[in-house]
Amino acid sequence: MIQNSKEACVFNALETAATEIKKRHLMTLFSEQPNRAYTYSLEVDSFYLDYSKQAIDDNAFKALINFAQYQKLEAKRDAMFQGDKINHTEDRSVLHTALRNTSQINSKFPDIAQEIESTKIKMLSFVDSVISHQHLGHTGKAITDVISIGIGGSFFGPKMLQSALIKNASNKIKVHYLANIDGDQIANVLERLNPETCLVIVASKSWTTAETQLNAQSVLKWFQDTLPQKQAIQKHWVALTAKPEQAQEFGIAEPMIFPMWDFVGGRYSVWSTIGLPLALSIGSKAFTQVLEGAASIDQHFLEAPLDKNMPVIMALLGYWQQAYFDLNNLMVLPYSHSLKSLPAYLQQLDMESNGKAVNSQGDNITNSGPILWGAEGTNCQHSFMQLFHQGKQSGMIDFILPAKGHDKYPEQHKLMVANCLAQAQALLQGKTLTQATNELLASGMNQESADSLAKHKTMPGNTSSNMLIIDEITPHSMGALLALYEHKVFCQGILFDVNSFDQWGVELGKSLGKNLLNSMNTGNIDNLDPSTAKLLEFININN
Ligand code: F6P
């Protein structure tokens, strides 16, 4: 509900601009403004963002910037970087940016800054000692494999960056991730490994996550079948957690416990000790470059004016399409096989952050974070892109394209670039009935057949998309990419006025899961709803 005249002014400007824009096809916007590609594009650090294929003009863009100012975006940004307790429902600061660079908190929170720096040094020197074989296993063998047990934010970040930076991976250490509670996957991983040459990492901020605790117990049994000695755990097991006492109770030695902190959200934690498996794969130097890339985007976010601020612009465009064009899903299409895990990483980042139903006051809201999905290009073209070209559903689209490919395969890369740009063109231009008919006639088809087939070949186009070019996939640019999306999500949280840093909605499923497990163990299904009771009966898991 509109509260005051200023607010009315802001939203009326947005409404008016949207009404005007909807009257015109995107192609018309290009003919009206041929230099749009210069007006609506931005180059920052490793990125070139082209948003000229978005349904905006100068009025709309101005109205959006006014809206960001009305939502006090800059003040809320500064409050986060300075450590104010902006995660008000958990009474916590949000300081994942300080993991990249502590300069914003050095004066206000010198102890935290000191602890962040000393922990980073401890972690990276441990990485160097394992890779250089200074740190050996209990039987004196070098560590060749790492089993990283963790889920959600304690898994997606390291896994995604490790596959993105496969070129940087040392061939000395192989990292195997165990996230889900899937016996087949666990068996498949363990049967190929030898505990004497394995480092086992238990990554869990809360140390309460059921999947991680159960998997850790199963791997511990496998480990102790070969190395039962108490000292062996001390050489091979590592904990990454905000609950060091519980990790010690588990049996992990104090020097092998690397702290995580409450002021770092799980889905914002790859920069912390949660990044250890990644650092063991790519080395401490490359891990530091990942942090530097993110810190460089933090600086841009902090300093650039709103209308030249890449995460702010991406957030406003997303808000605009959701609020005024009813697009409730965001498709992220990385045109790179090594970025194939990016959509899964962004799903947790965006949907666990902004998938909320009440605003900062606890009042119900009509709009919040989008459904995020995606897959690698060009595979997506031979799968779901048909629907986006001719279907009745649509969504927001981020194309992500590295400008540089693999030196040995220049033809593959040229074709990748051509296809990625062509998809955005086809979504923009579409194909009219006349164009389809003329093509068929030009192919020698008779008028009647051409008229009937052309109807099936027309494509509306007029579908907006962002094109984000990354100069090259490097540790720096990957750190920058994740920080860019972190800040975009943060800005959208401000535009929707939600708390992007809690996730209360995950708790009910966890507690019901516990009850159900108990029912399965005791056989008592009295308190279950009939559907769940019948399902358990059918599964009959205890026999
Ligand atoms: O259930 C959701 C969640 O709490 C995520 O926010 C978090 O990243 C994940 O579970 C894992 O949590 P932890 O690191 O505490 O095991």
Side-chain angles (χ1 to χ4, degrees), residues 150-154 203-209 212 240 260 265-267 269 274 348 352 503 506-507 510:
I151 198 164
S154 299
S204 182
K205 175 182 171 184
S206 63
W207 207 263
T208 59
T209 304
T212 304
L240 315 175
M260 230 289 245
R267 54 190 176 273
S269 66
I274 292 295
Q348 186 198 15
E352 205 175 70
Q503 58 284 321
V506 301
E507 298 308 326
K510 289 182 184 178

